[in-house]
Short mmCIF file of all heavy atoms in Angstrom, two decimals:
data_model
loop_
_atom_site.label_atom_id
_atom_site.label_comp_id
_atom_site.label_asym_id
_atom_site.label_seq_id
_atom_site.Cartn_x
_atom_site.Cartn_y
_atom_site.Cartn_z
N ILE A 251 -15.71 20.19 21.23
CA ILE A 251 -15.90 21.64 21.25
C ILE A 251 -17.34 22.01 20.95
O ILE A 251 -17.93 22.86 21.62
CB ILE A 251 -14.93 22.32 20.26
CG1 ILE A 251 -13.49 22.17 20.77
CG2 ILE A 251 -15.29 23.79 20.06
CD1 ILE A 251 -12.42 22.50 19.74
N VAL A 252 -17.94 21.36 19.95
CA VAL A 252 -19.29 21.71 19.52
C VAL A 252 -20.36 21.21 20.49
O VAL A 252 -21.37 21.86 20.70
CB VAL A 252 -19.54 21.15 18.09
CG1 VAL A 252 -20.99 21.27 17.70
CG2 VAL A 252 -18.66 21.86 17.09
N ASN A 253 -20.13 20.06 21.09
CA ASN A 253 -21.13 19.45 21.96
C ASN A 253 -21.16 20.15 23.32
O ASN A 253 -20.19 20.13 24.07
CB ASN A 253 -20.83 17.96 22.14
CG ASN A 253 -21.96 17.22 22.78
OD1 ASN A 253 -22.87 17.79 23.35
ND2 ASN A 253 -21.89 15.91 22.69
N ALA A 254 -22.27 20.74 23.66
CA ALA A 254 -22.40 21.47 24.92
C ALA A 254 -22.26 20.55 26.14
O ALA A 254 -21.85 21.00 27.20
CB ALA A 254 -23.75 22.18 24.96
N ASP A 255 -22.58 19.27 25.99
CA ASP A 255 -22.47 18.33 27.11
C ASP A 255 -21.03 18.14 27.56
O ASP A 255 -20.78 17.77 28.70
CB ASP A 255 -23.04 16.96 26.72
CG ASP A 255 -24.52 17.00 26.44
OD1 ASP A 255 -25.18 17.97 26.85
OD2 ASP A 255 -25.02 16.05 25.79
N ASP A 256 -20.09 18.37 26.66
CA ASP A 256 -18.68 18.11 26.95
C ASP A 256 -17.88 19.39 27.21
O ASP A 256 -16.66 19.38 27.17
CB ASP A 256 -18.04 17.35 25.78
CG ASP A 256 -18.75 16.03 25.50
OD1 ASP A 256 -19.11 15.35 26.47
OD2 ASP A 256 -18.93 15.70 24.32
N LYS A 257 -18.56 20.49 27.50
CA LYS A 257 -17.86 21.77 27.64
C LYS A 257 -16.92 21.81 28.86
O LYS A 257 -16.00 22.60 28.90
CB LYS A 257 -18.85 22.93 27.68
CG LYS A 257 -19.77 22.93 28.87
CD LYS A 257 -20.75 24.06 28.80
CE LYS A 257 -21.73 23.96 29.97
NZ LYS A 257 -22.77 24.94 29.85
N ASP A 258 -17.13 20.93 29.83
CA ASP A 258 -16.26 20.91 31.00
C ASP A 258 -14.95 20.15 30.74
O ASP A 258 -14.06 20.15 31.57
CB ASP A 258 -16.99 20.30 32.20
CG ASP A 258 -17.40 18.87 31.97
OD1 ASP A 258 -17.65 18.49 30.81
OD2 ASP A 258 -17.47 18.10 32.96
N PHE A 259 -14.83 19.51 29.58
CA PHE A 259 -13.64 18.73 29.26
C PHE A 259 -12.53 19.67 28.79
O PHE A 259 -12.70 20.45 27.87
CB PHE A 259 -13.96 17.69 28.18
CG PHE A 259 -12.83 16.75 27.90
CD1 PHE A 259 -12.54 15.72 28.78
CD2 PHE A 259 -12.05 16.90 26.77
CE1 PHE A 259 -11.49 14.85 28.53
CE2 PHE A 259 -11.00 16.03 26.52
CZ PHE A 259 -10.72 15.00 27.40
N GLU A 260 -11.36 19.61 29.42
CA GLU A 260 -10.24 20.50 29.10
C GLU A 260 -9.27 19.82 28.13
O GLU A 260 -8.64 18.83 28.47
CB GLU A 260 -9.49 20.88 30.38
CG GLU A 260 -10.25 21.77 31.31
CD GLU A 260 -10.39 23.19 30.79
OE1 GLU A 260 -9.52 23.65 30.03
OE2 GLU A 260 -11.40 23.84 31.14
N LEU A 261 -9.14 20.39 26.95
CA LEU A 261 -8.21 19.85 25.95
C LEU A 261 -6.83 20.48 26.04
O LEU A 261 -5.85 19.88 25.62
CB LEU A 261 -8.76 20.12 24.54
CG LEU A 261 -9.95 19.30 24.09
CD1 LEU A 261 -10.48 19.84 22.77
CD2 LEU A 261 -9.56 17.85 23.95
N LYS A 262 -6.77 21.69 26.58
CA LYS A 262 -5.56 22.51 26.54
C LYS A 262 -4.31 21.75 27.02
O LYS A 262 -3.29 21.71 26.33
CB LYS A 262 -5.78 23.78 27.37
CG LYS A 262 -4.64 24.75 27.33
CD LYS A 262 -4.96 26.01 28.11
CE LYS A 262 -5.34 25.68 29.54
NZ LYS A 262 -5.52 26.83 30.40
N ASP A 263 -4.39 21.15 28.18
CA ASP A 263 -3.22 20.46 28.75
C ASP A 263 -2.85 19.21 27.97
O ASP A 263 -1.67 18.86 27.85
CB ASP A 263 -3.47 20.10 30.21
CG ASP A 263 -3.59 21.34 31.09
OD1 ASP A 263 -3.04 22.39 30.71
OD2 ASP A 263 -4.27 21.24 32.13
N MET A 264 -3.85 18.54 27.43
CA MET A 264 -3.58 17.31 26.67
C MET A 264 -2.86 17.59 25.36
O MET A 264 -2.14 16.74 24.87
CB MET A 264 -4.88 16.56 26.41
CG MET A 264 -5.35 15.78 27.59
SD MET A 264 -6.65 14.67 27.08
CE MET A 264 -8.00 15.44 27.89
N LEU A 265 -3.09 18.74 24.80
CA LEU A 265 -2.49 19.08 23.51
C LEU A 265 -0.98 19.30 23.59
O LEU A 265 -0.31 19.36 22.57
CB LEU A 265 -3.16 20.32 22.92
CG LEU A 265 -4.60 20.10 22.48
CD1 LEU A 265 -5.25 21.41 22.07
CD2 LEU A 265 -4.68 19.11 21.34
N LEU A 266 -0.45 19.37 24.81
CA LEU A 266 0.99 19.53 24.97
C LEU A 266 1.75 18.27 24.55
O LEU A 266 2.91 18.33 24.16
CB LEU A 266 1.33 19.90 26.42
CG LEU A 266 0.75 21.23 26.91
CD1 LEU A 266 1.04 21.41 28.40
CD2 LEU A 266 1.29 22.40 26.09
N ASP A 267 1.11 17.13 24.65
CA ASP A 267 1.73 15.86 24.26
C ASP A 267 0.89 15.22 23.15
O ASP A 267 0.22 14.21 23.35
CB ASP A 267 1.82 14.95 25.48
CG ASP A 267 2.68 13.72 25.23
OD1 ASP A 267 3.29 13.62 24.14
OD2 ASP A 267 2.74 12.85 26.12
N LYS A 268 0.94 15.81 21.97
CA LYS A 268 0.07 15.40 20.87
C LYS A 268 0.31 13.97 20.40
O LYS A 268 -0.63 13.27 20.06
CB LYS A 268 0.24 16.35 19.68
CG LYS A 268 -0.43 17.67 19.87
CD LYS A 268 -0.32 18.53 18.63
CE LYS A 268 -0.92 19.88 18.88
NZ LYS A 268 -0.74 20.78 17.76
#
Side-chain angles (χ1 to χ4, degrees):
I251 292 166
V252 170
N253 192 345
D255 295 342
D256 302 320
K257 65 183 176 186
D258 62 330
F259 186 76
E260 291 288 332
L261 288 172
K262 184 177 56 174
D263 294 335
M264 281 193 249
L265 291 173
L266 297 174
D267 191 5
K268 285 184 184 175

